[in-house]
Amino acid sequence: MMYAVIGAVFMVTMALFALLKGGNTEKVGASAYLMAWFASLVVQQESPRADQAPHGVFFIDLILLAVFAVLALRSNRAWPIWAGAIQLLTVLCHLILLMNGRTPVSALFTIMNLNGYLIIICLTVGTFWVWQERKAATEHQLGRNS
């Protein structure tokens, strides 16, 4: 239980960092990620079986994949491409579960959970670079005006 709380604090903290210091792409990505994460928590509570991912989470993950794809197409940032690729792996894990593959369910759930951390790391790195670029541009402008 403690690892879940630590993970939640990490995710929310990094998403807040993106919302406060990021550009528009990072703000949209962080907002979509947080909404998908909270929606998944709600849908998982409604799941009748613990050994099966609910179909609602699958649709939430598909929507998040679409958001990352749109961000990748409309932005000049690299992190939405990486986040979208990782989210695609999550969607593929859902498809394996839906096809009743022979892969253990716990292994797929582990992959899906790790993918969430990888996505937030992509978002955090992208936000850091945007923040540093903006900071450097501001310092350059201040130096030019002096």
Side-chain angles (χ1 to χ4, degrees), residues 66-87:
V67 168
F68 287 143
V70 169
L71 287 176
L73 290 172
R74 295 187 178 204
S75 162
N76 61 350
R77 309 269 181 236
W79 75 263
I81 297 168
W82 288 98
I86 295 166
Q87 186 64 23

Side-chain angles (χ1 to χ4, degrees), residues 103-122:
T103 306
V105 173
S106 61
L108 295 174
F109 284 160
T110 301
I111 292 169
M112 288 186 224
N113 288 329
L114 288 175
N115 285 347
Y117 291 113
L118 293 174
I119 290 170
I120 201 70
I121 288 169
C122 289

